[in-house]
Amino acid sequence: MFQWYSEAKACYVYLSDVEYTEGEEIDPTSEFGQSKWFTRSWTLQELIAPPLVTFFDISWHRIGTKQTLLDTISVVTGIPQLCLSGEKAPADFSVAARFSWASERTCTRLEDIAYSLMGLFGVNMPIAYGEGRKAFFRLQEEIFKSIDDQSIFSWGVSKEDSRCGKPEGVFAASPADFATAGQIYPFVELEMPPSQFLSRGVSISLPLETPSMDAISSLSKDYGLSDLSRIQVAYLNCGPDSRHATQIYLLHSSPPFSTVQSSPIMFHRLATPLVVVARHRNLEYRHICLNTGLNMILRDRQTTLYYGMTEPASPGSRRTSVPQSPPQDTDVADASFTKGGFGYDETLLDAVVDTLNEGMIYNVTGKLFLPEGTLNEVLDNDTMLRLLQELQQRPNFTSGNIPYVSSRWRKTFAILALSGLLRFFQTMIGKLGITDECLPMPEPEYLPSSTLIIGTGNAQHLEKWESVTRLFGKKVLARVFFEKQWCVLAPVFRNRDQIQHYSLSQHHILPFFRGALGKYGDSTGHAKKSDLKSSSSSEIQKVYIHPDHHDFGTGLDASTLEHEDSFALKTLLRSERKSFEMEKNTLERFQGLSSLAIVQLLASYEMQANDIDRTPITYNLLFHRANGNLSQFWESSRHSQDEYIVPWIAEQCWRLADALNFIHMGYLDFGSDSDKPNHFYGIHGDIRPENILRLPAVSVGEFQSLGRLVIGGFGLTNFYPENTGSITSSSEASSSVTYSTPEFMPGGKISRKADIWALGCVFLDFITWFLKASDSVNHKFPAISQGNGRTPSARSNPIIRDWIQMLYSNDGCSGYFSDLLDLIRSQMLAVSAHDSPQTDEISQTLKQMYLKCLSRPHYYHANSKG
């Protein structure tokens, strides 16, 4: 609406409570200045956004325009003239100032206080009438994510307010709390540590100190506080001028408070009048977490959420009546709404439901889900024990068996709570036998089970879910449960002993993000171009996985994942199970071999269409996050001609050759006859710089910043029986066109020598980059055609021979690079059967050259040939 008003050429305001006489003086005390129009929430944007606003009285007599009445309107509304005139945009004013303009405005619906202000701050959020005060909390969350301005915390309450002196959340309850904050502005000269919105609060760094004796005495006298050891004073990065700052009081969630604690500490804010003090510039910043206040809505709320529908209560009242029972079913008993079943004091239940909703966060596609850790924290064993004893009236739910009980029903309870269907909980778990193991519920439209193909993941529970749909009585309730369950069923990717494959429904919400920890929920849902790597067959992108939703253990190269939640996700663009299975099976053969320079597969998953045919939509592979590939390293690194890194180059060349040798060695297949195993050897088929990835270093060392190189890109890899010798026709195999060997010419025969050729080309490019910088790596090897019925070697190609000679003659070519060039020329780029050695021979030679670099530094210095 704000945008709509701002694009209007003119806006006409009819004031039904104003009777204007031409020539009458207009001031704040006149009928115009006292009009109710200036006290309504929605009219704030109608006043600010349009460039031209004309006012008319009850008889349609023209009173004037926003420009001609500027002084009076500014005094009446508290909005600066510069904003009203359009000389400054609302975004030029602080968050606190903008909220102060709405501090005395009212509306019929409580939620409209928040909804009417979205345009003023340039934010958007879903509209959900019935949520009451929560709407204003959500608005502040969206503003906090979008605008870096700590004045959003510069609110206060009067001493007569019932909240004064009590612990509250960091966010205000309404714009009225900003009534005295109209002159608060952020300090722009300081670069503050970034603030982050988490599921349980606001993560922020603030200067803290213990209150002075005078402050403690005042707090005790004014607010009756006794446990003052838990109180800290914090100073915000905002104030009325550069010499004064806003001060707030924080209450540590559990005593005692120590300034030496290392982990972020949870604080509540004490509601007090707005305090401005002399600015402190030398205090130490502490990383803390501030409770948002959503779980405090229960106190003196004026509306109550009626589970299953929203029904406003009368002001000041609280719902105590029992909801109507669902439609009766001849096969299923009703949901028992006795006093112990649902009609008890709902404070605990309301708090749990509010906190579950508060803990929901947005993933990369803008879908809400509840993180696993938040679920377990909110519905911990003690809370589940209390809830189950209340809902079931069963004293046999004790602290001894509650861990077992919680693990069986925690997710089911959360889904019912988020769906507003908790009244069915007792019957679902007590009579129908629904547990978390029964999840997910199939699509209601596909029930009864006769329409389902037997063999789906939850087929054994279909009869239970049919009973649940009858219990709900209405299809719309079954649909609500079905849709809401995915918020609780975001997959947790694990890899302890073996690589796990996950078959997911298209409804599953993936716990992926485009930003780092702390930015969850603030994603636009669009990938950066720099995060995407595409080819004709796959797309690779960097994703962040919520820390609660991945656990890859300590044995699988955990050093590369320490404090990291970012991974590489490869999506196959051609949904062919055969090619997916071939690549996945190949990667599974390298499971746990993290010492090899081979990329490690962490998990795989497929997204399926529906519960009927379960046809996969996409196949996906999850890997360690790489810092780019070798080609990108050549383009961006400044280490060319830096002799310091030659030992690192030598080690990487050796380990890449050793990894390729492991692929070539293949595996033994004993089949049905264990006495005669079949030996299958491997061909990578796509060795090139783009498929050599640079991962973080495994251990701390002098070359840690350079990382380590590993072989990836196994989409064309395959294993062949040893007795085939080679693939008889090049048409039976695929290869990268970057480093195609003569074997890929028509009629050529493919063998492991194709990989050796390609790796030799990579090494030659590596030397070229080091000696002649990245621009020279653009050299393209010429295609080698057959001649005289023989497959020629690299030595017989004059262009490649001259190129190697040019590198050999370079002033920076050391003894190491000279030996490496000899190895490439004489062995790796030789493709005839009698010339080309096995990869184990090449690997051993490269290892000795690497060890020589370590023992004889002169070996890799320039002019050390001979």
Side-chain angles (χ1 to χ4, degrees), residues 216-282:
I216 290 176
S217 176
S218 176
L219 290 171
S220 177
K221 177 182 178 181
D222 294 343
Y223 311 127
L225 298 175
S226 55
D227 188 3
L228 300 176
S229 64
R230 299 165 58 189
I231 296 179
Q232 290 284 295
V233 177
Y235 300 93
L236 300 178
N237 186 43
C238 57
D241 54 58
S242 60
R243 294 174 300 162
H244 296 84
T246 302
Q247 171 187 289
I248 59 176
Y249 292 101
L250 304 178
L251 179 66
H252 185 213
S253 57
S254 59
F257 171 73
S258 170
T259 57
V260 298
Q261 291 176 332
S262 58
S263 58
I265 306 164
M266 178 65 77
F267 284 93
H268 297 288
R269 175 177 172 176
L270 287 179
T272 65
L274 184 64
V275 180
V276 175
V277 297
R279 189 174 174 187
H280 294 252
R281 297 179 182 268
N282 298 317

Side-chain angles (χ1 to χ4, degrees), residues 2-19:
F2 190 93
Q3 180 68 25
W4 187 76
Y5 279 116
S6 65
E7 295 174 354
K9 294 186 179 297
C11 181
Y12 301 101
V13 178
Y14 174 73
L15 303 177
S16 61
D17 57 350
V18 175
E19 189 171 351

Side-chain angles (χ1 to χ4, degrees), residues 92 289 408 538 806 814 821:
D92 295 325
C289 191
R408 284 176 60 82
S538 65
M806 178 269 297
S814 62
L821 284 169

